[in-house]
């Protein structure tokens, strides 16, 4: 990839020149019959159904330039979308990327974004197969990613399949992204050198993508990725399945303990319970023996509706895009 | 659908409440195994490969509220995406819609958008299967649509398959959307009552979606939709195929004549040659007998590269998102 000079903006180049600078970032992967550059991409996703999801990031809302580079934004946007596919038990195959940006945006920002997205996608054999570039008003950058995946003959793992008696388990961390955000907010100016891993967990969260398939194969009855907070996402499963997802406080303790030094006692618990953008996988399994290696048991599914901690039904809290 | 009060903004409701107001707009269609509301949609698009495209609209760039209602925006965004699928010879099946909007946006705007998109999609048996809603800065609305389709065993019709000797033909109108835009710009305040059909062609362009499959079945060697101007899009086919797409001025005359009364002599020709957002289908066929009924022959494919009018190679002009 040729790095564009830092003083070149999108508006200094034609759309074609911008695309020519970006498209080399996207490696060819198997199954792409027609890639970027035609009216539409043509994808061999056989056998079986196609799984599709879309998720966006908005500058000033989902990231601020003082904290996040273009590469951070690419990494986070990819994780958000792949986690949604993983939570269905799907294997990601393809991405389409739509970007609306202020023409004053440096071309280097867009190229950095494309390079990071392309290399992370290629490492998972996911193709960037299509996209769209639009100009937008001063200061605006909106990145909308659509991700496609395949099930390879598996049944999708939906939110509504949990039953009383199931075991609740998580694969991945809890509260680390939210703790990283707290540290960034506390310091204002930038990453806290004392806890760079937590800051990184916020800026570039990683999802345990392949574990979605593992969970599906292990017989998971329901699954969701923790994008808006453990309580809120567990509540979604509870309501969709018509059951109560009962979390044990003691089972959450190791996750809370890991954050206590960085953000303090109260905030650590709140990060674990309500922290968003973690993108770990929360799944329900028929019995304890079905929980795959590497997953942490968090509780039990009971008769009822919603989410509880130690049997006490709790109002879900976590991220909402519009509610104040 | 319940119409929300006009003074309710997105920010006055939770994300869940906003979704509850919008989701009823989207009818169930066959082939959707899991629809909106889970982590991802699951789609039966068998047999054969999946065709995917994405296209966006940005408030203030792609539409202004003085001219376009939410329903207009929905109609145009749908047409843009379906035309791209049609230009591959595909049949549209599914949409994913990502919206980033200022929380001050009236909820009624979003519901109107959803109702129009949903009803137009359902009329074509296309499902709205997923989406994403984000808050954005003051005044911003960005709508990004991803459309999926299937080929039903057909080979995709790409841009690179045209060969010397092919006949060039168009299905649909030329220059009408651009003429409508000129009328809106000339009048400033609103639709010109003398030519409401041209204004409508700009605000709510229609694509001859099913004719893409007709062209594929008739043996089209290359196809594109006229989204950025006849010259520019013909040039794209010419360069992708390594041929010269030679248009006959006389064949364009009926399209020019139809606009002359509304916008004048010179502008009428320019609208036909360079007017964007028309979303007619431009295709190449092996011989005159292969051109399906309803398509208008525009010229011939010759040895060379790019686009020409009456044999004179022409610099493509038309819409570019970034170049001044």
């Amino acid at each position: 990839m040729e790095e564009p000079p830092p003083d070149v903006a999108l508006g200094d180049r034609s759309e074609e020149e911008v695309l020519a600078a970006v498209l080399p970032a996207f490696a060819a992967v198997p199954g792409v019959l027609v890639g970027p550059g035609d009216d539409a991409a043509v994808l061999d996703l056989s056998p079986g159904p196609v799984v599709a999801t879309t998720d966006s990031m908005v500058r000033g809302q989902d990231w601020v330039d003082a904290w996040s580079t273009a590469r951070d934004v690419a990494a986070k946007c990819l994780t958000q979308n792949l986690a949604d596919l993983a939570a269905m038990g799907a294997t990601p195959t393809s991405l389409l990327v739509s970007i609306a940006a202020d023409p004053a945006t440096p071309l280097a920002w867009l190229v950095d974004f494309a390079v990071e997205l392309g290399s992370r996608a290629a490492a998972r054999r996911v193709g960037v197969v299509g996209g769209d570039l639009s100009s937008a008003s001063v200061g605006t950058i909106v990145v909308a990613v659509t991700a496609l995946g395949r099930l390879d003959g598996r049944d999708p793992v939906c939110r509504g399949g949990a039953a009383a008696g199931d075991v609740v388990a998580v694969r991945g961390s809890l509260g680390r992204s939210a703790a990283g955000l707290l540290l960034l907010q506390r310091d204002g100016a930038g990453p806290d050198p004392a806890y760079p891993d937590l800051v990184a967990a916020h800026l570039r969260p990683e999802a345990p993508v392949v574990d979605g398939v593992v969970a599906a194969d292990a017989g998971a009855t329901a699954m969701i990725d923790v994008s808006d907070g453990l309580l809120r996402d567990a509540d979604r499963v509870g309501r969709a399945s018509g059951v109560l997802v009962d979390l044990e406080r003691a089972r959450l303790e190791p996750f809370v303990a890991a954050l206590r030094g960085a953000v303090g006692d109260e905030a650590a618990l709140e990060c674990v319970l309500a922290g968003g953008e973690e993108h770990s996988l929360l799944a329900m399994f028929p019995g304890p023996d079905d929980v795959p290696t590497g997953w942490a048991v968090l509780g039990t599914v009971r008769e009822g509706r919603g989410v509880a901690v130690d049997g006490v039904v709790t109002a879900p809290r976590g991220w909402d895009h519009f509610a104040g």
Side-chain angles (χ1 to χ4, degrees), chain A:
Chain A
M1 291 290 300
E2 205 179 319
E3 194 69 17
D7 56 339
V8 173
L10 296 184
D12 298 330
R13 296 284 183 269
S14 72
E15 190 174 353
E16 210 162 310
E17 289 166 334
V18 172
L19 289 178
V22 164
L23 285 180
F26 305 137
V29 301
V32 180
L33 307 180
V34 177
D38 218 298
D39 296 294
V42 183
L43 312 168
D44 178 6
L45 302 183
S46 57
V50 173
V51 186
T53 185
T54 187
D55 215 334
S56 312
M57 286 184 69
V58 179
R59 184 192 196 186
Q61 307 285 332
D62 299 297
W63 87 86
V64 291
D65 288 349
W67 296 343
S68 295
T69 66
R71 288 175 180 264
D72 293 336
V73 175
K76 194 174 211 166
C77 211
L78 183 67
T79 290
Q80 287 175 348
N81 278 279
L82 298 193
D84 279 331
L85 294 182
M88 300 300 285
T91 300
T93 59
S94 332
L95 302 175
L96 295 101
V97 185
S98 170
I99 298 186
D102 178 353
T105 306
L107 179 57
W109 191 96
L110 193 67
V111 170
D112 280 353
F113 176 92
V115 166
E116 187 72 22
L117 188 75
S119 66
R120 284 181 180 251
R124 296 187 181 277
R125 299 173 71 85
V126 171
V128 180
V129 299
D132 180 62
L133 197 54
S134 305
S135 60
S137 60
V138 175
T140 298
I141 304 180
V142 177
V143 178
V145 171
T146 297
L148 306 179
R150 52 165 204 265
L151 284 166
D152 296 314
R154 291 178 190 86
D155 285 329
V157 183
C158 296
R159 296 178 181 181
D166 285 354
V167 175
V168 182
V170 71
R171 173 64 173 165
S173 52
L174 288 172
R176 285 170 55 84
S177 172
L181 177 59
L182 271 186
L183 292 173
L184 282 165
Q185 289 170 331
R186 201 163 66 182
D187 286 16
D192 185 318
Y195 303 96
D197 57 322
L198 292 179
V199 171
H202 178 70
L203 297 179
R204 296 182 298 282
E206 300 270 357
V209 177
V210 295
D211 292 295
V213 172
V214 171
D217 287 342
T221 57
M223 186 156 48
I224 193 169
D225 82 296
V226 181
S227 54
D228 295 335
L230 177 62
L231 290 180
R232 184 174 290 271
D233 290 314
D235 180 68
R236 285 178 174 144
V237 171
R239 282 183 299 144
S241 299
V243 296
L244 183 69
V245 178
D246 191 10
L247 307 169
E248 292 173 45
R249 175 64 184 82
R251 302 273 198 179
L252 299 175
E253 181 52 28
F255 298 98
V256 178
L259 302 178
R260 225 168 242 141
V263 298
D265 221 45
E266 205 175 322
L269 179 59
E270 192 61 20
C271 286
V272 167
L273 289 175
E277 300 191 315
E278 192 73 12
H279 302 298
S280 297
L281 293 172
L282 182 71
M284 288 69 195
F285 298 93
D289 296 345
D290 300 311
V291 178
T293 309
W295 291 65
V297 172
L298 295 184
T300 311
V301 176
R302 305 191 192 281
E303 305 280 339
R305 193 174 177 83
V307 64
V309 178
D310 288 342
V312 180
V313 178
T314 308
R317 52 186 189 277
W319 179 251
D320 186 301
H321 273 99
F322 286 108

